[in-house]
Amino acid sequence: MSNHLDQLREELDQVNIKILELINKRGRLVKEIGDIKKSQGMKAYDPVREREMLNHIVEQHEGPFEYSTIEHLFKEIFKAAKELQEDDYQKTLLV
Amino acid sequence: MSNHLDQLREELDQVNIKILELINKRGRLVKEIGDIKKSQGMKAYDPVREREMLNHIVEQHEGPFEYSTIEHLFKEIFKAAKELQEDDYQKTLLV
């Protein structure tokens, strides 16, 4: 039983690192999208597109978490990426 | 350029769904670990183990997000999984 617990914990650690990698990959993609939009004179942040992404995510969700929990987590992930774009913008202003 | 934007957005949607799948996989693992621990008379929630997981994640982190952002996001993900264990416990009590 204890071996099974160790095995599950190891699997959990691997899942954590995969989530980390994907959150960072997501950050890089959002930054790249923001850079292109800014170069075209568009605002990087688009609340309509964000709502569409969230709807698409929730549609694919099958549990075990509540839909509201998934929405909350992704809003936090979106917010972090938005702050990354803003930080970058602030840095540009300071140069 | 617009095609490149569409391509990046598509990639972003795929990353979102992968994150969703991993968060849910994580939820199922945490639930399974909690069930085993409870069956052995142990408390499901272990703040020391949680801190260790967080340290391990932060060690692997290479950006573009700040370390504090990664800690914040994972604390939210951990909290959600903890609530899942507690919900389950509450349901057991009500049966």
Side-chain angles (χ1 to χ4, degrees):
Chain A
M1 194 61 117
S2 175
N3 274 352
H4 187 206
L5 202 57
D6 288 344
Q7 192 191 323
L8 290 172
R9 281 176 167 161
E10 203 169 302
E11 213 177 322
L12 189 60
D13 282 334
Q14 286 168 3
V15 169
N16 287 338
I17 299 304
K18 278 187 202 159
I19 294 174
L20 173 71
E21 285 168 358
L22 284 169
I23 286 176
N24 281 323
K25 185 177 179 182
R26 195 183 185 284
R28 288 191 295 272
L29 278 168
V30 168
K31 210 188 138 322
E32 203 176 338
I33 290 170
D35 288 347
I36 293 178
K37 288 175 80 177
K38 277 181 222 159
S39 76
Q40 295 180 339
M42 296 155 79
K43 277 191 180 171
Y45 177 58
D46 179 351
V48 175
R49 163 79 182 140
E50 189 168 299
R51 186 65 251 176
E52 277 172 8
M53 277 198 297
L54 210 49
N55 289 346
H56 183 61
I57 291 162
V58 169
E59 272 167 27
Q60 303 286 319
H61 178 54
E62 292 181 341
F65 290 108
E66 302 281 343
Y67 286 91
S68 57
T69 304
I70 292 298
E71 275 220 17
H72 168 71
L73 289 178
F74 272 93
K75 277 184 183 167
E76 291 293 317
I77 292 170
F78 289 179
K79 200 166 70 181
K82 208 166 70 183
E83 282 164 9
L84 199 70
Q85 285 182 327
E86 280 162 11
D87 281 359
D88 204 55
Y89 183 62
Q90 288 303 323
K91 277 178 203 150
T92 316
L93 285 181
L94 291 171
V95 171
Chain B
M1 194 62 116
S2 175
N3 273 352
H4 187 207
L5 202 58
D6 287 346
Q7 191 190 324
L8 290 172
R9 281 177 166 159
E10 204 171 300
E11 212 177 321
L12 188 61
D13 282 334
Q14 286 168 3
V15 169
N16 287 338
I17 299 305
K18 278 187 202 158
I19 294 174
L20 173 70
E21 285 168 359
L22 284 169
I23 286 175
N24 282 322
K25 184 176 179 183
R26 195 183 185 284
R28 288 192 295 273
L29 278 169
V30 168
K31 211 187 139 317
E32 204 176 337
I33 290 170
D35 288 348
I36 293 178
K37 288 175 79 177
K38 278 181 220 159
S39 76
Q40 295 180 340
M42 295 155 80
K43 277 192 181 169
Y45 177 58
D46 179 351
V48 176
R49 163 82 182 137
E50 189 168 299
R51 187 65 249 176
E52 278 172 7
M53 277 199 297
L54 211 49
N55 290 345
H56 184 61
I57 291 162
V58 170
E59 273 167 27
Q60 303 287 319
H61 178 54
E62 294 181 340
F65 290 107
E66 303 280 344
Y67 286 91
S68 58
T69 305
I70 292 298
E71 275 219 21
H72 168 71
L73 289 178
F74 272 93
K75 278 184 184 169
E76 290 293 316
I77 292 170
F78 289 179
K79 200 167 72 182
K82 207 166 70 182
E83 280 165 6
L84 199 70
Q85 285 183 327
E86 280 162 11
D87 281 359
D88 204 54
Y89 184 63
Q90 288 303 323
K91 276 178 202 149
T92 316
L93 286 180
L94 291 170
V95 171

